Amino acid sequence: MAAPKVLHIHVVEGRDLIPMDHGKSSDPYVVVLVGSQKRKTKTIWKSLNPVWSETFKFELNDETPTIVEFRIWDKDRMSSDDRMGMVTVNLSEVEANNKTMDRWIAVERQKEKDVVSGELHVRIGIDREPEESPAASATDPASVDSSSSSSSS
């Protein structure tokens, strides 16, 4: 079995995001999706160039999808939040380079009718967790002794 991996995602900032509120600004936050795992940044009030500077960790395994989604939302107090667009990153691109990806990525539509603008700045890296030594688990005296003595009765 492959060693578990940890995905480090740093949502740095956005720039030139679309104004969603009447005052020609937005209250953006980002939802980061990695398979069924989800994290959310804080909301930056009244900004089209928000700085989140938040880092999240996700556990990766063989079943984890290879696409990371960054969904950008405008926080609304009186109604449901509005879509501001999304960014996707393929993890195979990060793994192939074997280093942290640090990039501005153009915001795309979440739905066909959405109007979007701007970019999202993200940093993404993958760490491999050290594997447990097979010798350590095989020489556990408790597991060896208990199995041999119980079968001789």
Side-chain angles (χ1 to χ4, degrees):
M1 184 164 97
K5 295 181 269 185
V6 177
L7 177 65
H8 298 269
I9 294 180
H10 187 79
V11 180
V12 183
E13 61 189 315
R15 71 177 169 205
D16 301 325
L17 298 180
I18 189 158
M20 301 298 290
D21 298 334
H22 296 295
K24 306 256 191 255
S25 71
S26 292
D27 307 312
Y29 65 91
V30 178
V31 175
V32 183
L33 298 163
V34 179
S36 61
Q37 302 174 76
K38 179 167 50 170
R39 308 284 190 282
K40 184 178 126 183
T41 67
K42 62 187 176 275
T43 300
I44 305 296
W45 300 99
K46 298 184 183 196
S47 179
L48 300 179
N49 299 294
V51 177
W52 292 285
S53 194
E54 292 187 50
T55 301
F56 304 105
K57 289 183 182 181
F58 296 87
E59 291 185 21
L60 299 180
N61 58 43
D62 294 339
E63 289 80 42
T64 304
T66 60
I67 300 294
V68 177
E69 289 186 13
F70 299 85
R71 295 184 183 177
I72 307 166
W73 293 88
D74 172 53
K75 183 74 173 169
D76 286 332
R77 295 178 190 209
M78 300 301 206
S79 62
S80 59
D81 295 352
D82 301 313
R83 291 184 308 272
M84 294 179 69
M86 69 184 291
V87 165
T88 57
V89 173
N90 192 325
L91 291 179
S92 61
E93 182 181 347
V94 178
E95 285 190 292
N97 292 331
N98 205 17
K99 60 181 181 180
T100 299
M101 182 185 88
D102 186 340
R103 186 176 298 165
W104 284 94
I105 304 170
V107 175
E108 300 174 355
R109 291 184 246 186
Q110 288 184 44
K111 304 247 181 194
E112 186 70 30
K113 64 179 183 160
D114 292 348
V115 177
V116 300
S117 73
E119 298 175 292
L120 187 66
H121 182 194
V122 297
R123 283 188 202 115
I124 302 174
I126 299 174
D127 288 340
R128 294 191 186 280
E129 292 291 308
E131 288 190 70
E132 184 179 323
S133 168
S137 58
T139 58
D140 181 10
S143 62
V144 174
D145 291 343
S146 63
S147 61
S148 61
S149 62
S150 61
S151 61
S152 60
S153 320

